[in-house]
Amino acid sequence: PEERKSECQRVVAETNGTLIHPSNEPLVMAGQGTAFLELWEQAVDLGVEKLDVIVMPVGGGGLLSGVAVAAKAINPDILVIAGEPLQANDAYNSLKGGEHVGHADGAAVAKSIAGGLLTILGSNTWPVVRDLVDDIICVTEEEIASAMKLVMERMKIVIEPSSAVAVAALMRPEFQALRQERGLKNVGVVLTGGNVDLTAPLPFLQS
């Protein structure tokens, strides 16, 4: 992270550029919120009157905060839930504790296969997550790999581990219990990317 930060500063200085944060920039957050608008429009086209819950992964919180704002604006009763790697669960700890915290174990974070989610919530994303996100479900590395395999086998869609975190959250007992308790019927899931090196062993094939 420090090397990345210093490299960004070097490039900005050399090019007289402007650094736009990939998740904590308000306009980026707003743009990522359009993912829900697209999903909602697709649901309506399929005859679904409303979504009961929307689930997506969380890292820096740009997508989560943007989607939360858009989803709650359209349907204040919708549940907004995020999945997060257990080894990089700063968002979970922040939400449960009521204050913005960083990673507790940097060594564990570095070993997670969900490389796109290893940053922390930002100064702009955290207040939105705190106020609008209903729950965050932590998933293990094994559950991430299993969810990735499930989607690739059943849906024939290549998704990266970070994207599989949302699917893994759906399969957790906590979500299933919530779904039964609240009578959740229409569940939307945001699959966020397919950055997979197909020349390397896939996570679910590694021992």
Side-chain angles (χ1 to χ4, degrees), residues 86-105:
L86 182 61
Q87 292 182 198
N89 62 346
D90 70 289
Y92 172 87
N93 289 330
S94 296
L95 187 63
K96 298 304 180 182
E99 62 177 336
H100 188 198
V101 298
H103 292 310
D105 186 349

Side-chain angles (χ1 to χ4, degrees), residues 72-151:
K72 296 285 188 177
I74 292 174
N75 175 15
D77 295 326
I78 193 172
L79 294 180
V80 177
I81 297 177
E84 185 173 41
L86 182 61
Q87 292 182 198
N89 62 346
D90 70 289
Y92 172 87
N93 289 330
S94 296
L95 187 63
K96 298 304 180 182
E99 62 177 336
H100 188 198
V101 298
H103 292 310
D105 186 349
V109 170
K111 294 179 181 178
S112 176
I113 61 175
L117 305 178
L118 305 186
T119 186
I120 64 172
L121 296 176
S123 58
N124 293 321
T125 59
W126 157 240
V128 180
V129 171
R130 177 194 62 204
D131 296 343
L132 296 182
V133 173
D134 295 283
D135 200 5
I136 295 175
I137 298 174
C138 295
V139 296
T140 67
E141 299 297 292
E142 292 76 15
E143 289 169 336
I144 297 171
S146 178
M148 183 180 179
K149 179 174 182 286
L150 177 68
V151 171

